[in-house]
Amino acid sequence: MRVEVLLTITRSGTRSLGAQIEEQLRDAIRTGSLRPGAVLPSTRDLARQLGVSRPVVTDAYGQLAAEGYLMIRQGARPRVSQSAAPVESARSAERPRGRPDWRPRFDFRPNIPDLSAFPRGAWLRSLRDGLSRIPDADLDYGDPRGVEPLRVALAEYLGRVRGVVADPGRLVVTNGYAQGRALVCQTLATAGVRRIAIEDPSHPEQRATMIRAGLEIVPIPVDAAGLDVARLASTAADAVVLTPAHQFPTGAVMSAERRTALIDWLRTRDTIAIEDDYDAEYRYDRSPVGALQGLDPDRVIYAGSVSKTLAPALRLGWLVVPDRLLDATVSEKRLADLGTAHIEQYALADFVARGELDRHLRRMRTRYRRRRDALVSALADALPEARVEGSAAGLHATVQLSETDDEETVLAEARARGIELAALSAYRVASAGPPTLLLGYARSPEPALRSGAGELAEAVRAARVHTAR
Ligand SMILES: Cc1ncc(COP(=O)(O)O)c(C=O)c1O
């Protein structure tokens, strides 16, 4: 079969032929004119259609595969990747599908805390106190870094709890990590960073943000000790973004050796890491590991938010930025929105200073540990052949199925039973691995986790019957 795609390249401009092919295919995929699963011409065919050499097409396809847009398999035609609506696919796995009022019977989505435990009373009190205390001057636009009381409270909190070297002057309050990451990517791109290494697997929204900032993605595999720093060192990446406290989505905690190696790499290359201190507050069986930023505050941009500790809806996060990037980052924040909402910042400052955040976390850690234990033991009974990992910290576990299980069929069977969950493949870039489910346990009480695990095991068995047919 000969496959044609509509691409036009020009030899008169400054853009290389490969860059033009990459750009047009990327745009076609992003805008939906090339749909997930669509077949593309082989490298040989496309080279012939466009009158370019084959390596030009091979390199362009390779880059698009690295960014998660294409699937390239030996002996098969290149296809637009299933996760190539990059932003939507994983986020939709984290959101209930179907009608907006539809609720899953068992909610195993990763990434979301128990929203029913949001401390409404304590927050209301902080909101009221914050509002009564906010000076008139702070009802103006003000400093784009955020209001002073919050920057002071967060610097104290992050130093005490995470070992972050944070002075309030280098703290920038953001609308969640999502905005922090976008500001930093823009800042790095302006500072001359071209290639940024990311963990593979990782969140596709992160990838999309980086591509939008004009950065080239360099995916680096992750194993049980976190990001593979030796692989990173063998690439030409100019910067790296990682989740060392609890790798998302594998759940790996970055080992001490890898942390040291990473800091060595940052110093040798004189470059920058973005530390997404994701899920750091939840740690059950091991003593807390401090933030990477504490090891080299001049080379690590630290990022965090209240999305997993309180609620994503607050849209409150922060960056701690090295001096050399501070002005540029603040300027990006100013251009983005002139600053995050002040009244909520005052409320969070009060909430942290009053010790409410510590109190809430103590309560939630106990609750989540019990739920984690219930899920792990229910899975051991119901699905003993599965390997459950990544549950020493965070709000979800990974459940590795047998090589012969088909992830898509398992997901379909699970959803048919009203079970919401995500699979690891939605987060992969270029890596491969056995079928693996991500089971969030934060939102369900223990009895629901036990019956949900039982029904999930039935779904896995039903999928095996289907796959065998
Ligand atoms: C890896 C990772 N880090 C951080 C966040 C938090 O993002 P935000 O603070 O913007 O809610 C998320 C949310 O999905 C995430 O997946």
Side-chain angles (χ1 to χ4, degrees):
M1 178 181 63
R2 202 180 145 91
V3 181
E4 304 253 341
V5 284
L6 189 62
L7 296 181
T8 41
I9 54 168
T10 152
R11 289 179 162 76
S12 55
T14 51
R15 305 281 292 149
S16 71
L17 299 174
Q20 294 179 54
I21 296 172
E22 246 177 61
E23 218 163 74
Q24 290 182 38
L25 285 174
R26 198 184 284 116
D27 280 352
I29 296 169
R30 271 196 201 146
T31 55
S33 48
L34 278 173
R35 310 283 309 157
V39 176
L40 290 180
S42 66
T43 50
R44 188 193 311 267
D45 274 355
L46 187 59
R48 203 178 299 135
Q49 281 173 41
L50 298 174
V52 301
S53 76
R54 196 167 167 201
V56 167
V57 178
T58 311
D59 286 355
Y61 275 10
Q63 178 57 33
L64 291 168
E67 291 174 11
Y69 287 106
L70 297 189
M71 281 181 306
I72 301 178
R73 302 250 186 286
Q74 195 73 37
R77 285 195 176 271
R79 277 178 188 278
V80 176
S81 143
Q82 286 301 338
S83 57
V87 181
E88 264 316 294
S89 65
R91 194 53 81 180
S92 66
E94 294 159 8
R95 195 197 292 138
R97 56 206 61 239
R99 296 200 330 264
D101 59 346
W102 184 81
R103 292 275 170 276
R105 288 172 60 229
F106 301 105
D107 190 350
F108 283 129
R109 284 173 295 146
N111 239 353
I112 302 163
D114 186 350
L115 300 175
S116 72
F118 182 73
R120 288 174 192 251
W123 184 259
L124 194 57
R125 182 171 162 194
S126 289
L127 199 52
R128 204 179 285 123
D129 272 33
L131 185 58
S132 61
R133 226 176 291 137
I134 187 168
D136 290 350
D138 268 348
L139 292 171
D140 202 346
Y141 290 112
D143 188 333
R145 289 175 302 176
V147 303
E148 175 93 10
L150 180 56
R151 288 187 287 113
V152 169
L154 285 175
E156 185 280 326
Y157 172 79
L158 296 172
R160 172 168 59 81
V161 174
R162 301 293 305 128
V164 173
V165 180
D167 71 73
R170 292 193 297 114
L171 222 140
V172 181
V173 178
T174 60
N175 295 320
Y177 170 65
Q179 186 188 40
R181 160 178 84 195
L183 300 177
V184 165
C185 287
Q186 204 51 59
T187 302
L188 292 179
T190 310
V193 167
R194 290 286 160 262
R195 289 168 298 268
I196 189 158
I198 59 162
E199 295 166 318
D200 181 4
S202 55
H203 208 293
E205 274 176 1
Q206 170 166 285
R207 229 177 300 152
T209 309
M210 288 165 178
I211 292 167
R212 181 157 295 180
L215 298 168
E216 189 183 307
I217 302 298
V218 183
I220 308 289
V222 169
D223 61 22
L227 180 95
D228 183 342
V229 181
R231 280 286 279 279
L232 171 66
S234 73
T235 71
D238 308 312
V240 59
V241 55
L242 72 168
T243 48
H246 185 237
Q247 204 277 328
F248 185 80
T250 65
V253 179
M254 195 178 204
S255 69
E257 294 73 25
R258 292 269 176 93
R259 283 166 191 257
T260 311
L262 184 78
I263 296 293
D264 285 347
W265 180 79
L266 293 174
R267 290 181 181 161
T268 313
R269 297 270 179 105
D270 189 23
T271 187
I272 290 285
I274 305 167
E275 175 177 25
D276 171 8
D277 202 22
Y278 172 76
D279 266 358
E281 292 82 358
Y282 301 119
R283 188 163 299 284
Y284 310 113
D285 309 318
R286 38 162 59 231
S287 43
V289 184
L292 192 66
Q293 190 263 9
L295 301 177
D296 197 337
D298 290 332
R299 289 190 174 77
V300 180
I301 300 172
Y302 177 85
S305 82
V306 297
S307 293
K308 307 294 175 272
T309 51
L310 290 170
L314 291 173
R315 305 313 302 134
L316 284 168
W318 46 84
L319 296 169
V320 181
V321 185
D323 272 335
R324 58 178 153 152
L325 292 169
L326 184 61
D327 287 350
T329 311
V330 175
S331 167
E332 289 298 335
K333 173 67 179 165
R334 181 184 291 112
L335 282 177
D337 57 12
L338 300 175
T340 292
H342 285 189
I343 293 169
E344 280 72 14
Q345 289 192 55
Y346 264 85
L348 183 59
D350 182 83
F351 194 83
V352 173
R354 228 190 252 281
E356 289 293 354
L357 185 57
D358 291 284
R359 199 166 300 127
H360 178 66
L361 283 171
R362 276 198 299 279
R363 198 166 46 235
M364 296 316 290
R365 250 180 238 122
T366 312
R367 177 179 295 196
Y368 292 147
R369 175 186 284 124
R370 274 207 305 268
R371 291 181 177 178
R372 190 271 320 250
D373 290 347
L375 176 68
V376 171
S377 91
L379 285 170
D381 291 341
L383 208 54
E385 68 276 29
R387 251 173 72 182
V388 181
E389 288 181 336
S391 67
L395 301 177
H396 74 270
T398 62
V399 180
Q400 189 181 310
L401 302 175
S402 316
E403 291 281 354
T404 48
D405 283 321
D406 181 66
E407 218 177 72
E408 280 306 314
T409 317
V410 171
L411 287 183
E413 288 289 345
R415 284 174 186 147
R417 290 166 171 75
I419 305 172
E420 264 306 336
L421 77 174
L424 194 61
S425 57
Y427 301 88
R428 289 194 185 281
V429 187
S431 62
T436 302
L437 308 176
L438 306 180
L439 294 192
Y441 46 78
R443 315 182 79 189
S444 317
E446 286 97 301
L449 288 166
R450 283 189 211 99
S451 22
E455 295 218 16
L456 180 65
E458 281 174 25
V460 172
R461 293 202 184 95
R464 283 175 188 157
V465 172
H466 248 291
T467 313
R469 268 198 206 127

